[in-house]
């Protein structure tokens, strides 16, 4: 018998939520990411609970127990119950009644087996009772422990229920799959046979899923598999992932944390990335990274303009595009620029220069100062 013994399971605040359901005769089963990650020894950030209690009953039981109930997704059967500041997403067992490739019409169910059968991958259909005892209605545990990402039932059928699952397959493989074992050929064949359905997906959903994929420690194999299956071209026409694997190797050499926008910049120019409905800040960052990676600024200047952390993004991208190795000297240049202070202020040039002429002169002096390796001082620059 497999049992989860991590601290979040026995946390009194969480057990109080479970007890509110079980004392009334309903099931309370941890499910999804919290169970999957706990079994893999990975961090758990969100707690999801599945139950046979209907949403209105969940609200009633939570409030009777003195807990805060928030109807965050009541139409889909989800109530967020907060206990001592910890949110617990409680969703009533569901079964699909109708699907159209983008969203499903669901009906509530009393059976955990029906709830499991509507999920995407076997590793996401593992449950655990309040005491941590694992309940595995679809035998997903062996797949999880083997790090095998496998669709529930027939892959093609599961994909046609929601075409975003094609992209989710690559995301889950990037995070949890066995890189040496590679990809399930049946899954890849089903994905390649259902490319047309990707066109109808919300660009916001695609963008969010892709950014989650790119945050994985090494998403390059998954993105390469997406390209081979035709998914990358379908979702991002004009994207090119050739610089992604070199970028990730450079990140590791430089000790840089995974950064999804930086990695997206490696495969998609702004006009392509824009179709993903990124936030304005994300698109601005991506555009800047691409422009500076291809621009003439030295690494020291990048550090001066964007700080060491900001300049690191452009430096890594430039090295990836140019197939240039990482070196300690690049880091030193970034640090030198980040700590340098331009010695001239506008007041130093007034009243001789005003308006546009003042801005132009400041830019000229700044360029001279940067070209000198930040060695020219105020006196040198002002000619005094």
């Amino acid at each position: 018998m497999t049992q989860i013994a991590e601290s979040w399971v026995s946390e009194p605040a969480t057990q109080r939520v479970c007890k509110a359901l079980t004392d009334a005769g309903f099931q309370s089963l941890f499910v999804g990411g919290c169970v999957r990650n706990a079994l893999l020894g990975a961090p758990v950030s969100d707690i999801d609970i599945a139950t046979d209690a209907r949403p209105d009953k969940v609200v009633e039981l939570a409030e009777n127990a003195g807990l805060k109930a928030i109807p965050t997704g009541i139409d889909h059967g989800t109530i967020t119950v907060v206990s001592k500041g910890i949110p617990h997403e409680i969703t009533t067992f569901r079964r699909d009644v109708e699907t159209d490739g983008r969203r499903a019409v669901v009906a509530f169910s009393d059976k955990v087996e029906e709830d499991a059968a509507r999920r995407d991958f076997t590793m996401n259909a593992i449950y655990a009772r309040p005491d941590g005892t694992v309940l595995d209605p679809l035998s997903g545990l062996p797949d999880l422990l083997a790090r095998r990402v496998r669709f529930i039932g027939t892959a093609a059928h599961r994909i046609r229920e929601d075409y975003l699952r094609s992209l989710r397959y690559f995301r889950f493989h990037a995070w949890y799959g066995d890189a040496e074992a590679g990809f399930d050929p049946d899954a890849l064949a089903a994905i390649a046979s259902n490319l047309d359905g990707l066109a109808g997906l919300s660009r916001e959903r695609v963008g969010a899923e892709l950014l989650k994929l790119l945050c994985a420690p090494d998403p390059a194999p998954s993105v390469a598999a997406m390209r081979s299956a035709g998914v990358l071209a379908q979702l991002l026409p004009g994207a090119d992932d050739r610089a992604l694997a070199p970028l990730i190797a450079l990140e590791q050499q430089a000790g840089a944390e995974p950064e999804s926008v930086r990695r997206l910049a490696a495969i998609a120019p702004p006009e392509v990335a824009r179709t993903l409905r990124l936030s304005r800040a994300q698109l601005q960052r991506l555009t800047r990274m691409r422009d500076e990676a291809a621009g003439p600024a030295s690494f020291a200047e990048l550090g001066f303009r964007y700080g060491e952390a900001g300049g690191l993004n452009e430096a890594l991208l430039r090295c990836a595009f140019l197939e240039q190795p990482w070196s300690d000297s690049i880091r030193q240049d970034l640090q030198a620029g980040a700590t340098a202070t331009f010695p001239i202020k506008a007041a130093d040039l007034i009243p001789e220069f005003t308006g546009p002429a003042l801005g132009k002169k400041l830019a000229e002096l700044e360029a001279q100062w940067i070209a000198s390796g930040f060695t020219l001082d105020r006196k040198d620059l002002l000619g005094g």
Side-chain angles (χ1 to χ4, degrees):
M1 180 179 65
T2 303
Q3 192 161 17
I4 297 171
E6 294 200 9
S7 59
W8 63 266
V9 175
S10 56
E11 164 63 44
T14 295
Q15 285 296 312
R16 185 179 175 189
V17 174
C18 295
K19 194 171 187 295
L21 294 169
T22 57
D23 279 0
F26 295 102
Q27 296 187 67
S28 177
L29 300 174
F30 301 116
V31 67
C34 61
V35 176
R36 179 194 64 233
N37 286 20
L39 291 168
L40 289 176
V44 171
S45 56
D46 301 310
I47 301 176
D48 293 326
I49 295 173
T51 183
D52 51 344
R54 299 302 189 259
D56 55 348
K57 192 65 177 179
V58 172
V59 172
E60 176 189 335
L61 294 173
E63 291 178 345
N64 288 345
L67 302 171
K68 184 177 181 180
I70 307 169
T72 46
I74 193 167
D75 291 341
H76 303 287
T78 301
I79 305 295
T80 299
V81 176
V82 182
S83 177
K84 289 192 175 179
I86 302 174
H88 305 76
E89 284 213 347
I90 303 179
T91 303
T92 302
F93 294 159
R94 298 175 296 178
R95 58 182 175 85
D96 287 342
V97 175
E98 182 181 346
T99 60
D100 62 4
R102 296 183 62 183
R103 59 185 66 83
V105 176
V106 299
F108 297 136
S109 172
D110 297 317
K111 300 178 180 179
V112 66
E113 293 82 5
E114 289 185 335
D115 188 70
R118 71 172 300 274
R119 296 177 181 269
D120 47 13
F121 309 113
T122 57
M123 63 170 56
N124 291 335
I126 306 172
Y127 301 73
R129 297 186 177 91
D131 65 357
T133 303
V134 170
L135 180 65
D136 188 15
L138 300 182
S139 300
L141 185 58
D143 287 335
L144 176 66
L145 298 181
R147 292 187 174 269
R148 183 170 50 239
V149 184
R150 184 167 66 87
F151 282 102
I152 292 170
T154 303
H157 177 71
R158 193 61 68 222
I159 289 168
R160 285 193 288 269
E161 290 177 339
D162 183 352
Y163 289 102
L164 191 69
R165 285 173 175 164
S166 290
L167 184 51
R168 283 174 61 82
Y169 173 81
F170 295 109
R171 194 248 287 188
F172 275 86
H173 202 285
W175 278 99
Y176 306 110
D178 183 341
E180 293 186 4
F183 298 83
D184 178 1
D186 291 337
L188 292 180
I191 290 169
S193 298
N194 287 278
L195 295 177
D196 289 347
L198 296 173
L201 292 174
S202 156
R203 301 304 292 174
E204 288 83 358
R205 291 182 74 199
V206 170
E209 197 68 33
L210 187 56
L211 291 176
K212 290 176 184 177
L213 187 163
L214 290 172
C215 271
D218 183 3
S222 282
V223 175
M226 286 173 59
R227 169 173 37 79
S228 297
V231 173
L232 188 62
Q234 186 75 16
L235 293 177
L236 284 176
D240 185 342
D241 67 311
R242 286 178 294 179
L244 183 58
L247 173 64
I248 291 166
L250 288 162
E251 290 173 349
Q252 294 168 351
Q253 294 167 19
E257 293 295 321
E259 213 285 327
S260 57
V261 175
R262 180 205 301 140
R263 291 170 170 184
L264 180 59
I267 66 175
E271 61 271 19
V272 174
R274 186 176 289 110
T275 66
L276 295 174
R277 307 289 194 273
L278 303 175
S279 71
R280 178 178 297 181
Q282 287 172 327
L283 187 58
Q284 287 176 340
R285 287 182 59 231
L286 184 145
T287 301
R288 188 194 81 197
M289 289 181 199
R290 293 278 300 205
D291 288 346
E292 294 288 12
S298 66
F299 293 122
E301 183 175 351
L302 293 176
F304 168 67
R305 298 205 180 283
Y306 307 115
E308 182 181 351
L312 181 63
N313 291 319
E314 285 82 356
L316 287 168
L317 269 180
R318 180 180 296 177
C319 290
F321 287 139
L322 298 179
E323 299 183 358
Q324 177 180 343
W326 184 257
S327 67
D328 290 340
S329 65
I330 298 175
R331 174 78 73 177
Q332 291 164 4
D333 286 347
L334 290 169
Q335 291 172 342
T339 56
T341 302
F342 183 45
I344 303 298
K345 299 192 177 349
D348 297 325
L349 303 176
I350 298 173
E352 184 177 356
F353 297 92
T354 58
L358 174 62
K360 182 179 179 181
K361 186 62 177 179
L362 278 170
E364 289 175 357
L365 294 176
E366 184 183 79
Q368 293 176 26
W369 174 70
I370 292 171
S372 76
F374 313 117
T375 59
L376 294 178
D377 60 18
R378 181 176 179 276
K379 182 177 178 182
D380 295 329
L381 292 167
L382 294 177

